[in-house]
Amino acid sequence: MSVDGFSPEFFLHATGIICGSTDMHRMLHDLLAYLSGCLPLDALALSRFEEDKSAVHRFALCHRNGAEEGESLEKIPDGALQFACGIIHSGKRCVLTESAADNPVRSHMHDCGRSRFQSAVVLHLHQEGRYCGSVDMFSEQARAFSEHDARVLDQLSTPFTLFLTRYLDERSGRIRNAVRETPPFPMVGASAAFCRVCEMARDVAPTVTPVLITGETGTGKEVMADYIRHLSDRANGPYIKVNCAAIPPDLLENEFFGHEANAFTGAGRLQKGRFERAGGGTLFLDEIGELTPGAQAKLLRVLEYKDMERLGGSDSIHLDIRILAATNRDLAERVREGRFRRDLYYRLNVFPLHLPPLRERRQDIPALVRFLLRKKKNELGLALMPEPSADDLRELAGRAWPGNIRELSNLVERALILAQRTGELHFAPEEDAPCETPPPCRPAPTKPAHAALFSEDAPVIPLRDMERAYILHALRRANGKLTGKNSAAEMLDINGGTLRSRMVRLGLDPKKRTD
């Protein structure tokens, strides 16, 4: 059956299936089920011709009846090898085979009894002009596909290239973690703007160059930092994350650099700071634009000299760390306003990455919706995962999305939970969402809340007493809740175990509720 009269929904749906999955077999089965509704497809495969091995390296092949074949290396004879080399080096992207006899590679496999497929459409995928693999679309019928079918299918080359290059990157060892956590907002999408950012991230990942990630709230800056770290040679090293806006300025130096034993009252033992704990790995500085001028100066020194000293210490400690930073502020504007050091800005902005807002990558929304549905279903342990309709996806793609991917994720989660009762997905209307883009960060008060502590006539308070009072204040704000969501530990941006040990050191009972 020819594919005349294709609608935009066809490409949205097909792209969503390809880019919305990280499992090759699952993606091929889902896509085959969809495409076979309008084409006489019997099987789909992803492969790569490897000239040096005189073979076709097949990664996976899935049949319409549900059967699948795993990885294999198919040796081909000289005559077929010359044909394959000619096609690859010609740069031809789409090859239509009307019968097995027309293609020496397919004819060889057919004659050897290893393939019953007669005709095929093969998409040769290229990235930056280099061949990276092929998509094989097979039929058991001769002359099953038309030239028009081939031209239409060729338009799926871009999402297939994105999927295959991501698969090969992981396979080649650039991601070295044997077990790694799936980021909340994965690198899903085929839009030009997003692909360009991902490509730049892959380029910079193997280096130690500082990266400054910018973008609106909810665009996935932390996820991009995770992505770069996972692709780097430091993937197995420490990964320390710091929310620069959450650390009180008077405690920031201790958090960053740590202290020696007895450096101040109550410092009974040595404590390493976050810079030192990130040694040999990566330090992610989120909301870097919120650093105070004093903290900016200290960070600049670390970046310039690659060393530091603990509070109360005199020995210089060499640092081997890779810095990733993120902000939703316009740092260049803050430099002009005198609120951010120009020299620090240049140190951080060596390799800038700007994440596009969701409204600039609308074609990625169907893939994101499907991925988030699967992710939320697994996370929440839900039974049902209804398929979104084409009308739903078209309507979602037309929304403003001031909260970007985070807003989309919340919407999908609510719809999926309600679908467990109704059996259908119903996405909340756009008018229920915030009508304005929220401010990128809470506005800084003109006079800091702790300003009175540092007025000229204020007495100097011992650091132990100040830390004790601050923890008590956080506990009161959290209604005595020590750990978890909306807890004192979350407000102070420290681990629950660390908070408990500090309370014991300060003479506070972690088990006693503080009113």
Side-chain angles (χ1 to χ4, degrees), residues 471 474-475 478 481-484 486-494 499:
I471 289 175
L475 285 167
K481 187 177 181 182
L482 200 66
T483 61
N486 300 322
S487 66
E490 185 181 74
M491 292 179 188
L492 296 170
D493 193 29
I494 60 176
L499 177 56

Side-chain angles (χ1 to χ4, degrees), residues 226-289:
D226 295 347
Y227 182 64
I228 293 172
R229 184 254 180 172
H230 287 330
L231 291 175
S232 75
D233 294 335
R234 296 171 176 252
N236 291 322
Y239 188 32
I240 305 298
K241 298 182 180 182
V242 182
N243 185 334
C244 298
I247 302 178
D250 44 309
L251 299 179
L252 190 142
E253 187 171 3
N254 187 38
E255 287 291 329
F256 273 1
F257 307 122
H259 60 254
E260 299 286 352
N262 303 315
F264 49 83
T265 303
R269 59 185 176 83
L270 179 149
Q271 177 177 300
K272 292 183 179 181
R274 303 195 190 195
F275 278 87
E276 193 174 353
R277 299 206 315 266
T282 307
L283 182 67
F284 174 51
L285 300 174
D286 198 9
E287 298 193 47
I288 190 76

Side-chain angles (χ1 to χ4, degrees), residues 26 109 125 131 167 173 179 225 262 374 379 433 444-445 448 461 481:
R26 173 67 184 273
M109 296 177 68
L125 309 177
Y131 168 77
Y167 172 82
V179 179
N262 303 315
R374 286 194 295 273
E379 283 181 354
I461 302 172
K481 187 177 181 182

Side-chain angles (χ1 to χ4, degrees), residues 49-55 76-92 105 124 131:
F49 169 62
E50 299 186 358
E51 185 174 355
D52 58 332
K53 298 178 181 178
S54 302
I76 53 179
D78 290 341
L81 179 65
Q82 294 171 5
F83 174 83
C85 289
I87 291 292
I88 297 300
H89 294 313
S90 73
K92 191 174 182 180
V105 178
H124 294 300
Y131 168 77

Side-chain angles (χ1 to χ4, degrees), residues 246-462:
I247 302 178
D250 44 309
L251 299 179
L252 190 142
E253 187 171 3
N254 187 38
E255 287 291 329
F256 273 1
F257 307 122
H259 60 254
E260 299 286 352
N262 303 315
F264 49 83
T265 303
R269 59 185 176 83
L270 179 149
Q271 177 177 300
K272 292 183 179 181
R274 303 195 190 195
F275 278 87
E276 193 174 353
R277 299 206 315 266
T282 307
L283 182 67
F284 174 51
L285 300 174
D286 198 9
E287 298 193 47
I288 190 76
E290 311 309 312
L291 283 179
T292 63
Q296 293 176 32
K298 292 179 174 65
L299 175 59
L300 176 64
R301 187 187 186 285
V302 171
L303 293 178
E304 284 183 336
Y305 298 105
K306 306 294 187 199
D307 62 23
M308 49 150 275
E309 295 174 3
R310 301 190 194 104
L311 290 177
S314 56
D315 294 334
S316 179
I317 300 170
H318 176 70
L319 294 174
D320 173 23
I321 56 175
R322 203 268 181 86
I323 298 289
L324 305 177
T327 182
N328 51 17
R329 302 285 195 180
D330 184 343
L331 286 191
E333 179 63 26
R334 291 174 83 83
V335 168
R336 288 190 289 270
E337 296 171 351
R339 302 172 66 184
F340 200 86
R341 292 184 64 114
R342 185 179 299 274
D343 43 9
L344 177 59
Y345 173 67
Y346 289 136
R347 283 282 182 180
L348 293 171
N349 199 40
V350 178
F351 198 95
L353 284 179
H354 182 74
L355 298 185
L358 192 53
R359 62 182 175 275
E360 293 180 8
R361 40 181 299 217
R362 297 183 186 278
Q363 71 187 79
D364 293 339
I365 289 176
L368 284 165
V369 169
R370 290 190 174 90
F371 185 93
L372 290 168
L373 282 169
R374 286 194 295 273
K375 180 176 182 296
K376 296 297 182 183
K377 176 182 180 293
N378 294 334
E379 283 181 354
L380 302 174
L382 302 177
L384 298 178
M385 194 190 78
E387 180 73 12
S389 69
D391 288 341
D392 283 336
L393 294 176
R394 185 166 50 249
E395 191 274 329
L396 292 176
R399 294 193 183 185
W401 299 113
N404 294 295
I405 303 177
R406 186 177 296 128
E407 181 185 353
L408 176 63
S409 176
N410 293 340
L411 182 75
V412 167
E413 183 169 344
R414 289 195 299 271
L416 188 59
I417 291 172
L418 294 175
Q420 305 308 300
R421 174 171 50 83
T422 65
E424 296 180 353
L425 286 170
H426 294 288
F427 297 101
E430 189 171 14
E431 54 265 24
D432 291 350
C435 59
E436 295 181 0
T437 303
C441 188
R442 58 182 179 277
T446 54
K447 186 176 183 180
H450 57 273
L453 293 174
F454 304 105
S455 61
E456 291 296 329
D457 55 349
V460 176
I461 302 172

Side-chain angles (χ1 to χ4, degrees), residues 467-502:
E467 187 175 5
R468 189 176 189 275
Y470 203 83
I471 289 175
L472 288 171
H473 175 66
L475 285 167
R476 283 192 290 270
R477 290 284 301 275
N479 295 318
K481 187 177 181 182
L482 200 66
T483 61
K485 189 170 179 61
N486 300 322
S487 66
E490 185 181 74
M491 292 179 188
L492 296 170
D493 193 29
I494 60 176
N495 181 271
T498 302
L499 177 56
R500 287 190 181 92
S501 63
R502 288 192 187 183

